[in-house]
Amino acid sequence: MKRLGILTSGVFLGLSIGFLCALCFSLIYHAPTFMPSSPAFVTRFSSNTMATLVTAGLWATIGLLFGLTSLIFLNEHWSIARQTIWHFGLSYLGFTPLAILAGWFPLNVTWLLLYTLIFVGIYLVIWTYSMLRARKTVRHLNDVLPHRHTD
């Protein structure tokens, strides 16, 4: 049941983050209508509504992907290093084609390298924050648990 909650949360988080990012970019670029993705992406569809529908599907899929890959960290038999390597690899391999489909960058070597650098940078920031938060939680638990003395 916990896994289903993680996946459902992932879908709704993907939709929420995607919508908020698209809304911010629409406002920043003073778009006369809501732009769910790049103008080049939107022009591939018969209407803005259809582009938004497809983009929402991509946002939900991205959220589902990150929900699925987060399940890797529930595997207690793997080290944190192994979990992180698998999580990073599967996230990158799953997210990259979705980002290309969403029209976030053109498919060429220069943009793929730039995208990869951005992905790695964001991943490192989130991973560092998560590790610091986990360390703080462990310290707190160690402080509140009764200490066993070995004499």
Side-chain angles (χ1 to χ4, degrees):
M1 193 62 168
K2 180 179 181 178
R3 287 180 168 98
L4 181 60
I6 290 171
L7 299 180
T8 304
S9 296
V11 167
F12 286 106
L13 193 58
L15 284 165
S16 300
I17 292 171
F19 171 76
L20 290 173
C21 287
L23 184 61
C24 286
F25 282 114
S26 293
L27 291 169
I28 289 168
Y29 291 106
H30 305 287
T33 60
F34 175 74
M35 296 297 288
S37 190
S38 68
F41 177 86
V42 174
T43 59
R44 291 191 274 173
F45 298 91
S46 60
S47 68
N48 190 288
T49 304
M50 286 307 296
T52 301
L53 178 66
V54 171
T55 306
L58 288 168
W59 296 333
T61 304
I62 290 167
L64 181 62
L65 168 73
F66 285 110
L68 281 169
T69 58
S70 74
L71 296 176
I72 290 170
F73 292 105
L74 297 179
N75 186 343
E76 297 172 1
H77 302 292
W78 284 7
S79 68
I80 191 67
R82 186 176 183 187
Q83 291 172 337
T84 301
I85 290 166
W86 274 94
H87 181 265
F88 174 84
L90 292 174
S91 295
Y92 180 82
L93 291 174
F95 186 70
T96 301
L98 293 171
I100 293 168
L101 283 173
W104 293 347
F105 64 92
L107 186 54
N108 65 50
V109 174
T110 304
W111 277 100
L112 191 57
L113 288 173
L114 180 60
Y115 158 81
T116 300
L117 287 173
I118 293 168
F119 186 91
V120 169
I122 292 170
Y123 192 93
L124 285 173
V125 167
I126 293 170
W127 183 84
T128 301
Y129 171 77
S130 297
M131 290 299 108
L132 292 173
R133 192 177 70 193
R135 182 182 296 165
K136 182 179 178 182
T137 300
V138 168
R139 283 187 183 145
H140 174 72
L141 289 173
N142 284 334
D143 289 343
V144 298
L145 288 174
H147 296 292
R148 293 191 334 192
H149 297 305
T150 55
D151 292 326

